[in-house]
C-alpha cells in the first residue's frame, strides 16, 4: 500500500538518527518539519519533503492533511490489557478513604481480577482485549505491550499469554508480550511465597520461553509481593532463558528495586513513584530506561515519579499508561502527556519523545518504530490540531483524525 500524506502543518518526526533512545536536551528535539509531505511505501516510511514537492506516482493514495499535525504512533510500553471483570467497587472504596493496599489486603486488588480472569473463557478474554486495543488505536497508540499476571497458575498464565499471542497475530495494533507470573502470590501458595517463585522459575518460565510466548519477564518487586531476593532469582532465570527483564519498581515503597534493575540491565524499571536519589544515581549509571506511569498516580492519588529529576540526570525516560482494572483504568496516551506536563513538569516535547521513541526503546523495538524516519514502520497518526502541543493542552478530548498502521489507513 503506497500513500502520500500531503499538506502536513507540522510533521513531528522525533528523528533520532539511529540512536536507540533519547536523553537529556535531546528529548526536547522533536525534529519538526512544517508544511511537509510524507511518502509511505509497502508499510514503511520512505521520505519526507516540503508540502507539494513529492510527485504522485500512479497507484498512489493521497491524503490531504489540510495543515493538520502528524506524529509517530504512541508506544504504550506498560499495560495489563488482558483481564476479566472490573473493580468499580474499589474505586468507590478509595473515594471513601481506603488505600490501594488496604483494599488488596482485604482480598481485593490483583487477586480479585485473578478470580475473574480464571473464570473467563479464552474467547471472552480475547474479545474484551480486542475491543480495548481498537480503542487504544483510535486514541493514537499503535504499539501496545501487554502483560500476563492475572492468571497466577501455570494454566491460567499460559492461557493469558496465548490470548496475547492471538491478539499479536490478528490485531492491527502491534502487540508485545510480557510474562508477569510474579504479579502476586496466588491463594494456592498462601504462606509459601518461595514455593510460587520456584514454580515460576522451574516450570512456567521454561514453558513460556520454549513456546516463545513472551519477550519480557516482569516482577512486581514490592513489599508484600516479591522481595529483592525473589526478584533477583526470577531475573537470573529469565536471562538464562533468553528473556529480558523488566520490573514494577518503587511504586509503593523504596526498597532498592530500581538499583536491582539497573544492576541486572533490565530493559526498563517502571512506576518509580518512590524512587530515591540513590535509585536515580543507579539508573543514571546504567542503560535501563525509567518508565513513568502518571495515570497511576492520578487514579490512586499517589505521588508522581520524579521524572523531571530523572531527565535532568540524563536517564532515558518513557511514559506509559499502565492500563489495568485496579490502579489505572485509562488507555489514553494523550491524557498521560497532559499529566506528565502538568504534574511532572516535562515539556510537551519531552513528553512526546517519552511516549514514542523512548517507549519503543523500552520494548527493544526503537529501530523499527517510535519515530518517522526512512525505513521505519509507517505507524503515524494525524491529529485534527495545528500545533502538536494542543494534544496535551486540550485534554480529555480525542484529537485523532486518522490512524495509519504499517502504511494502512485504518477505517473506524
Ligand atoms: O502496575 N502494581 C502492580 N500492578 C498493577 C496494578 C494491578 C492491579 O491492581 O490489578 C500496576 O499498578
Ligand atoms: Fe503495571
Amino acid at each position: 500500500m503506497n500513500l502520500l500524506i500531503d499538506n502536513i502543518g507540522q510533521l513531528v518526526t522525533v528523528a533520532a538518527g539511529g540512536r536507540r533512545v533519547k536523553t537529556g536536551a535531546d528529548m526536547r528535539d522533536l525534529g519538526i518539519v512544517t508544511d511537509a509531505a510524507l511518502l509511505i511505501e509497502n508499510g514503511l516510511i520512505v521520505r519526507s519533503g516540503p508540502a507539494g514537492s513529492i510527485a504522485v506516482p500512479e497507484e498512489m493514495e493521497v491524503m490531504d492533511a489540510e495543515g493538520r499535525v502528524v506524529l509517530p504512533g504512541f508506544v504504550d510500553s506498560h499495560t495489563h490489557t488482558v483481564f476479566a471483570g472490573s473493580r468499580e467497587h474499589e474505586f468507590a472504596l478509595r473515594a471513601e478513604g481506603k488505600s490501594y493496599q488496604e483494599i488488596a489486603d482485604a482480598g481485593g486488588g490483583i487477586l480479585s481480577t485473578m478470580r475473574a480472569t480464571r473464570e473467563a473463557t479464552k474467547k471472552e478474554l480475547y474479545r474484551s482485549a480486542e475491543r480495548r486495543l481498537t480503542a487504544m488505536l483510535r486514541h493514537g497508540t499503535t504499539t501496545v505491550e501487554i502483560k500476563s499476571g492475572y492468571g497466577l497458575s501455570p494454566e491460567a498464565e499460559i492461557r493469558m499469554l496465548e490470548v496475547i499471542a492471538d491478539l499479536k497475530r490478528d490485531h492491527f495494533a502491534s502487540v508485545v508480550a510480557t510474562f508477569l507470573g510474579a504479579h502476586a502470590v496466588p491463594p494456592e501458595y498462601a504462606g509459601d511465597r518461595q514455593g510460587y517463585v520456584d514454580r515460576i522459575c522451574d516450570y512456567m518460565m521454561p514453558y513460556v520461553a520454549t513456546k516463545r510466548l513472551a519477550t519480557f519477564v516482569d516482577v512486581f518487586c514490592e513489599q508484600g509481593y516479591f522481595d529483592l531476593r525473589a526478584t533477583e532469582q526470577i531475573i537470573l532465570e529469565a536471562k538464562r532463558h533468553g528473556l529480558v527483564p523488566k520490573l514494577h519498581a518503587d511504586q509503593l515503597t523504596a526498597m532498592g528495586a530500581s538499583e536491582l534493575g539497573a544492576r541486572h540491565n533490565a530493559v526498563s524499571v517502571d512506576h518509580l513513584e518512590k524512587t530515591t536519589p540513590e535509585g536515580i544515581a543507579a539508573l543514571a549509571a546504567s542503560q535501563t530506561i525509567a518508565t513513568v506511569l502518571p495515570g497511576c498516580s492520578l487514579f490512586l492519588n499517589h505521588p508522581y515519579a520524579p521524572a523531571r529529576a530523572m531527565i535532568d540526570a540524563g536517564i532515558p525516560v518513557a511514559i506509559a499508561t499502565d492500563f489495568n482494572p485496579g490502579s489505572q483504568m485509562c488507555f489514553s496516551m494523550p491524557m498521560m502527556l497532559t499529566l506528565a506536563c502538568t504534574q511532572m513538569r516535562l515539556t510537551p516535547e519531552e513528553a512526546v519523545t517519552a511516549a514514542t521513541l523512548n517507549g519503543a526503546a523500552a520494548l527493544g523495538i526503537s529501530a523499527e518504530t517510535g519515530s518517522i524516519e526512512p525505513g521505519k514502520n509507517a505507524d503515524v497518526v494525524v491529529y485534527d490540531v495545528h500545533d502538536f502541543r494542543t494534544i496535551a493542552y486540550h485534554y480529555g478530548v480525542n484529537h485523532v483524525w486518522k490512524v495509519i498502521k504499517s502504511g494502512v489507513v485504518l477505517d473506524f
Side-chain angles (χ1 to χ4, degrees):
M1 171 74 77
N2 299 335
L3 171 69
L4 175 70
I5 311 178
D6 214 340
N7 297 318
I8 299 168
Q10 282 183 333
L11 175 63
V12 179
T13 65
V14 198
R19 288 189 300 292
R20 172 186 81 98
V21 76
K22 286 193 180 219
T23 57
D26 202 20
M27 284 185 71
R28 294 189 187 203
D29 181 5
L30 292 182
I32 296 177
V33 188
T34 50
D35 299 322
L38 181 68
L39 183 64
I40 292 166
E41 281 179 13
N42 304 317
L44 302 177
I45 308 283
V46 177
R47 68 189 165 94
S48 61
S53 73
I54 301 180
V56 185
E58 273 178 43
E59 306 284 315
M60 170 80 63
E61 189 182 341
V62 182
M63 178 188 287
D64 186 349
E66 296 169 325
R68 294 182 177 87
V69 167
V70 170
L71 260 75
F74 290 123
V75 178
D76 193 347
S77 62
H78 181 142
T79 86
H80 306 253
T81 299
V82 173
F83 63 86
S86 65
R87 295 181 10 214
E88 295 87 348
H89 55 292
E90 295 185 8
F91 177 73
L93 286 173
R94 277 198 302 279
E96 289 171 17
K98 290 260 185 302
S99 72
Y100 179 79
Q101 269 166 304
E102 284 167 340
I103 293 167
D105 292 344
I110 294 167
L111 293 186
S112 127
T113 300
M114 176 209 75
R115 288 189 290 272
T117 304
R118 283 183 179 183
E119 274 168 24
T121 65
K122 218 167 153 180
K123 201 170 187 170
E124 285 164 347
L125 289 175
Y126 179 90
R127 287 257 167 88
S128 56
E130 178 189 35
R131 278 196 297 274
R132 292 172 195 136
L133 273 180
T134 302
M136 288 169 166
L137 269 175
R138 284 203 178 99
H139 285 78
T141 301
T142 48
T143 299
V144 184
E145 182 256 21
I146 308 179
K147 302 176 195 295
S148 67
Y150 290 125
L152 307 180
S153 69
E155 301 71 30
E157 279 296 301
I158 286 158
R159 210 157 59 101
M160 282 191 76
L161 289 168
E162 286 171 351
V163 169
I164 298 169
D166 289 347
L167 292 164
K168 184 173 175 169
R169 186 192 61 220
D170 299 344
H171 206 277
F172 254 113
S174 292
V175 170
V176 177
T178 296
F179 172 53
L180 176 58
H183 198 192
V185 177
E188 297 79 12
Y189 284 88
D192 182 19
R193 193 177 315 267
Q194 188 56 45
Y196 183 56
V197 172
D198 291 341
R199 186 78 170 148
I200 289 174
C201 290
D202 300 342
Y203 185 79
M204 294 158 93
M205 195 124 56
Y207 186 89
V208 169
T210 308
K211 296 276 183 186
R212 298 180 186 282
L213 283 170
T215 308
F216 300 103
V217 171
D218 197 344
V219 180
F220 188 16
C221 184
E222 184 60 64
Q223 247 171 48
Y225 294 83
F226 299 91
D227 62 12
L228 290 174
R229 248 201 56 216
T231 305
E232 188 163 36
Q233 184 184 339
I234 294 168
I235 289 177
L236 292 173
E237 199 58 21
K239 286 185 171 175
R240 229 171 52 77
H241 286 286
L243 299 163
V244 179
K246 272 181 178 289
L247 293 181
H248 278 69
D250 305 333
Q251 180 184 12
L252 308 173
T253 46
M255 47 183 243
S258 287
E259 291 89 325
L260 182 74
R263 194 162 70 246
H264 284 289
N265 247 322
V267 65
S268 71
V269 288
D270 304 26
H271 272 286
L272 313 175
E273 288 87 332
K274 294 282 173 66
T275 300
T276 59
E278 292 72 34
I280 293 180
L283 289 172
S286 78
Q287 298 285 305
T288 297
I289 293 169
T291 300
V292 297
L293 311 166
C296 218
S297 300
L298 174 81
F299 203 65
L300 297 181
N301 195 21
H302 283 179
Y304 286 82
R308 176 74 271 144
M310 289 171 170
I311 292 176
D312 293 344
I315 298 166
V317 168
I319 295 173
T321 61
D322 193 19
F323 174 62
N324 75 77
S327 67
Q328 214 304 95
M329 194 62 178
C330 171
F331 44 55
S332 163
M333 284 294 278
M335 183 69 194
M336 301 308 126
L337 299 197
T338 303
L339 292 173
C341 295
T342 60
Q343 308 300 309
M344 295 172 153
R345 293 198 303 113
L346 266 61
T347 67
E349 289 82 0
E350 289 168 335
V352 167
T353 301
T356 55
L357 186 83
N358 287 6
L363 298 180
I365 52 173
S366 58
E368 296 130 56
T369 193
S371 65
I372 299 177
E373 295 178 271
K376 281 197 163 182
N377 292 350
D379 297 347
V380 306
V381 179
V382 188
Y383 294 84
D384 195 13
V385 298
H386 294 275
D387 183 319
F388 81 91
R389 292 172 299 188
T390 308
I391 296 164
Y393 157 68
H394 187 185
Y395 69 107
V397 180
N398 188 7
H399 294 287
V400 170
W401 186 64
K402 290 277 189 257
V403 178
I404 295 128
K405 179 69 185 89
S406 303
V408 178
V409 183
L410 299 186
D411 182 18
F412 46 48

